[in-house]
Amino acid sequence: MLIIFLGVLSQWIAWRLQLPAIVLMSIAGLLVGPILGIIDPAESFGELFNPFISLAVAIILFEGSLNLNFKEIRTFGKPILRIVTLGAFIAWIVGSLAAHYIAGLSWAVAFVIGGLFIVTGPTVILPLLRQAKLKTRPAAILKWEGIVVDPFGALLALFAFQFVLFAIGDETAAAFGLFFLASLFSVALGAGAGGLMGMLFEKGQVPEFLKAPMVFGVVLLTFVVSDMVMHETGLLAVTAMGMVMANMNIASINDMRHFKENISVLLISSIFVMLTASLSLDVLIEIFNWQIISFVLATLFVVRPLSIWLSTIGTDLTIQEKTLVGWIAPRGIVALTVSGYFSGVLLEAGFADAELLTALTFALVFSTVIAHGFTIGWLGRKLGLASAEEPGIIIVGASRFAVKLGEVLAELNKNVMIVDPSWGSLQGARQVGLTTYAGEILSEHTDYEVEMTAYETMIVATETDSYNALVVNNFVPELGRTNLYQTAIHEGDPADFHSSLSGRTLFGDRWNIHELERKAEQGYTMRKTQLTEQFSYEDFLEKWTDDTIPLFIQRPQGKIEFFAESNKIEPKPGDAIISFTSPARQSDRTQERLENKRFKIATQTKA
């Protein structure tokens, strides 16, 4: 109970404070584990501890690979291929040299741990990308590298271990053949399982309510069967399974992604608390060894940047992209769990220095998580690879009212984009200088064309109520229901639309898009009313008539809050109310200009 509660609580606090969730989860585990001694998960779970973590990692890795659609990287596949092959090899060699000459490990242990430390992984990369809001290209590179290299890092460490046993005479050359055959088997098993699942789904052989649970069960089965053939190959099998399913264009793939994402968030939250809570004080003290600290610094500032810069020579990556990707490489659960396995087998093989691996791995994991977690957003903005401005607003539908609304938001320095399938319908938006996109917002193609990470709020204002509800329902997992608005229902009874299918109703039930469009045709305009001590919100309400529609308020700090159902707004002096009003109210405009002028003079006098 405490593990799950602390994990989810850490995620929530991180969301509220805009902090890296992994850092808070690790700190929470250290506090209740080695520092305060409240729990010891390794002792409590006993023999189930390692299997539980391994199965959880398999699910997390599959969930990540389920997002690896090759369409996403069709224009920059070359740098990704170079990074996950040549870059991984360079990181292995240079990392092994650092482990031997700096950390003082024997050559055998250094090459095993050097192979393992090339991993980053979805358990750490995906939460950081969610927080940093990087642009599509650098985010995709980091995501693909993290997911693809994760199983290869474990296999590389296993290959190095087999080579060590062969070198000391404990293993025959046939073991290498078995290693490669087992790796091929795991890929074939995973691809076959993914292809079979996709085929059954597309032929309607599995009902909707069983699809996600069946995939869940098959993922675990694939992982365990592969791991029984050879240890650590299960990760490769589930990655292959996810990638095959991601590229089969399965109709229900998004539902499975959302289900798996929810499971993954819960598992990531729990596992980080479990792993850090299971550490001993001796390991924490050992971390402050100068050799370990020096190795961590070399990994951060030499091994990772060198592998990225060398492997991407001749690609079209910019200097800014190389700099960001060369810095961001947090290690996570796979490094912690697999290093524990190799620590045991190396000690059994007679390599006494392998007992240092636990402290070394945790030092690298914790250092990279903190360093990269707190810098990814800042560095991305500095390099122009993340949204430097506050998240913007997407308006779906290019009606005359939508253009007027977008125009006034843009005048308030908000990042606005209007989306409509018709190029001709967007002419008015283009004429006033708004950003536009001619395409279907629900199309998969739009995901690759529009930089969705730059937008946090969506207003759906087309003429079809059912389509508005469909768009809202589609974007709930990405934007959250509180950031999704739609115009009022105008066809039939609003009660016919279940609340779970709708976003927040803008401006009240009365003002549907047809009524708003009619007002726009009558010449209604946007008006900004400044609230002061002398002219309060109550005064505004007294003057509010049928020809004035309050749209949103702007706080002094620039924050926008829309008038909508279930959105309780309390305007205060200093706020500005933007309304849609009749052009006949010119006298009110003149009065408000005078009041705005008095407000500015009073504010300057106080300052």
Side-chain angles (χ1 to χ4, degrees):
M1 178 280 299
L2 190 60
I3 289 169
I4 295 174
F5 174 73
L6 286 175
V8 176
L9 180 64
S10 299
Q11 291 268 14
W12 181 77
I13 293 174
W15 169 77
R16 293 286 297 179
L17 302 180
Q18 294 297 298
L19 295 173
I22 299 170
V23 175
L24 297 186
M25 290 184 284
S26 301
I27 292 174
L30 291 175
L31 286 175
V32 298
I35 296 177
L36 298 179
I38 298 175
I39 58 172
D40 184 354
E43 182 179 330
S44 301
F45 283 93
E47 293 183 357
L48 291 177
F49 181 75
N50 288 326
F52 176 77
I53 290 177
S54 296
L55 292 174
V57 170
I59 295 168
I60 294 166
L61 195 56
F62 170 77
E63 188 271 329
S65 60
L66 205 59
N67 293 292
L68 298 183
N69 193 315
F70 288 110
K71 292 180 182 177
E72 183 182 21
I73 58 167
R74 63 187 184 279
T75 58
F76 52 95
K78 182 180 178 180
I80 290 179
L81 180 63
R82 294 276 290 275
I83 288 172
V84 301
T85 53
L86 180 59
F89 179 77
I90 294 172
W92 176 36
I93 299 301
V94 180
S96 301
L97 293 173
H100 176 70
Y101 288 109
I102 298 178
L105 299 177
S106 63
W107 280 113
V109 177
F111 270 97
V112 172
I113 205 66
L116 176 61
F117 282 167
I118 70 170
V119 303
T120 52
T123 59
V124 283
I125 281 295
L126 296 183
L128 292 187
L129 295 179
R130 197 177 295 122
Q131 164 211 342
K133 296 187 180 299
L134 297 179
K135 292 184 178 179
T136 300
R137 185 158 141 141
I141 291 173
L142 288 170
K143 179 182 74 173
W144 275 73
E145 182 204 9
I147 296 170
V148 173
V149 171
D150 229 25
F152 285 138
L155 287 177
L156 200 55
L158 186 61
F159 170 78
F161 178 65
Q162 294 285 345
F163 182 79
V164 167
L165 294 182
F166 174 75
I168 62 176
D170 288 352
E171 200 67 82
T172 63
F176 283 105
L178 181 62
F179 168 79
F180 288 110
L181 286 175
S183 300
L184 291 174
F185 170 77
S186 66
V187 173
L189 178 66
L196 178 62
M197 285 290 96
M199 184 179 65
L200 291 175
F201 291 167
E202 287 301 280
K203 289 187 175 182
Q205 299 299 312
V206 181
E208 288 296 325
F209 75 95
L210 269 183
K211 285 183 177 179
M214 181 170 284
V215 170
F216 186 85
V218 172
V219 167
L220 297 183
L221 176 66
T222 303
F223 173 79
V224 171
V225 170
S226 180
D227 234 39
M228 289 173 64
V229 173
M230 179 167 283
H231 200 60
E232 303 305 336
T233 61
L235 297 178
L236 189 60
V238 296
T239 302
M241 179 178 174
M243 290 181 69
V244 168
M245 294 186 70
N247 290 275
M248 289 184 68
N249 296 318
I250 301 172
S252 54
I253 191 74
N254 284 332
D255 294 334
M256 284 186 285
R257 282 189 186 125
H258 299 328
F259 172 77
K260 291 290 186 295
E261 184 178 17
N262 292 335
I263 294 292
S264 293
V265 169
L266 186 62
L267 290 175
I268 291 172
S269 305
S270 303
I271 289 175
F272 261 98
V273 175
M274 287 177 62
L275 288 172
T276 52
S278 299
L279 295 171
S280 65
L281 282 174
D282 293 338
V283 171
L284 294 182
I285 295 172
E286 197 172 9
I287 287 173
F288 296 99
N289 181 318
W290 72 268
Q291 289 178 304
I292 292 180
I293 295 174
S294 300
F295 173 76
V296 169
L297 293 175
T299 303
L300 284 171
F301 296 102
V302 179
V303 178
R304 172 65 178 183
L306 189 64
S307 66
I308 296 299
W309 282 82
L310 290 179
S311 64
T312 55
I313 293 175
T315 66
D316 61 347
L317 288 190
T318 65
I319 294 176
Q320 290 82 1
E321 288 170 334
K322 291 181 181 181
T323 302
L324 180 67
V325 176
W327 169 244
I328 302 299
R331 275 64 172 184
I333 292 173
V334 171
L336 282 172
T337 55
V338 179
S339 71
Y341 164 76
F342 282 111
S343 175
V345 295
L346 284 168
L347 285 171
E348 289 180 8
F351 298 97
D353 56 332
E355 64 181 3
L356 191 66
L357 292 189
T358 301
L360 190 68
T361 305
F362 182 74
L364 185 63
V365 168
F366 200 65
S367 300
T368 54
V369 162
I370 290 179
H372 300 149
F374 280 108
T375 60
I376 183 171
W378 173 84
L379 184 60
R381 290 188 294 272
K382 287 291 183 183
L383 295 173
L385 300 176
S387 179
E389 52 193 18
E390 64 177 282
I393 302 169
I394 289 181
I395 301 176
V396 182
S399 64
R400 190 176 302 182
F401 169 77
V403 172
K404 287 180 177 290
L405 178 60
E407 187 177 13
V408 72
L409 288 168
E411 289 174 355
L412 298 175
N413 297 319
K414 301 302 174 184
N415 180 21
V416 180
M417 179 172 66
I418 296 187
V419 178
D420 194 280
S422 171
W423 174 264
S425 299
L426 291 167
Q427 181 179 356
R430 291 193 298 269
Q431 286 176 344
V432 297
L434 293 175
T435 302
T436 62
Y437 176 75
E440 171 55 61
I441 189 67
L442 296 177
S443 169
E444 183 181 4
H445 183 70
T446 303
D447 291 340
Y448 307 128
E449 294 292 329
V450 178
E451 201 77 56
M452 294 299 293
T453 55
Y455 301 93
E456 186 177 64
T457 303
M458 179 179 288
I459 296 173
V460 190
T462 73
E463 296 181 355
T464 307
D465 296 328
S466 56
Y467 178 77
N468 293 346
L470 180 64
V471 173
V472 167
N473 207 42
N474 185 78
F475 281 93
V476 165
E478 286 77 18
L479 299 177
R481 200 170 294 279
T482 56
N483 293 325
L484 286 163
Y485 298 90
Q486 69 183 79
T487 48
I489 305 296
H490 67 275
E491 293 177 345
D493 186 354
D496 292 340
F497 287 82
H498 195 278
S499 59
S500 65
L501 297 176
S502 305
R504 293 183 172 188
T505 302
L506 277 173
F507 323 134
D509 289 332
R510 176 181 175 187
W511 302 111
N512 59 62
I513 189 61
H514 291 281
E515 289 295 326
L516 294 169
E517 191 67 359
R518 192 174 294 114
K519 297 296 184 184
E521 291 173 357
Q522 293 171 2
Y524 271 53
T525 57
M526 299 292 174
R527 184 173 68 189
K528 182 178 181 180
T529 303
Q530 188 72 52
L531 299 183
T532 65
E533 297 290 348
Q534 294 75 28
F535 186 80
S536 64
Y537 183 52
E538 288 71 23
D539 297 325
F540 175 82
L541 291 177
E542 287 182 9
K543 298 172 64 177
W544 179 10
T545 61
D546 284 344
D547 57 359
T548 300
I549 308 170
L551 303 180
F552 61 89
I553 67 169
Q554 183 187 32
R555 301 294 188 185
Q557 302 82 8
K559 183 181 178 182
I560 293 293
E561 295 183 31
F562 289 95
F563 285 97
E565 283 188 345
S566 74
N567 195 16
K568 296 180 180 179
I569 296 179
E570 298 180 1
K572 302 174 182 177
D575 295 340
I577 298 179
I578 285 74
S579 56
F580 197 43
T581 188
S582 168
R585 300 177 65 91
Q586 294 295 337
S587 59
D588 290 345
R589 278 192 188 174
T590 304
Q591 180 65 27
E592 285 169 8
R593 288 195 189 98
L594 291 173
E595 288 165 354
N596 290 345
K597 189 173 182 180
R598 293 194 195 104
F599 174 73
K600 290 179 181 178
I601 294 173
T603 304
Q604 291 171 356
T605 303
K606 287 181 181 179

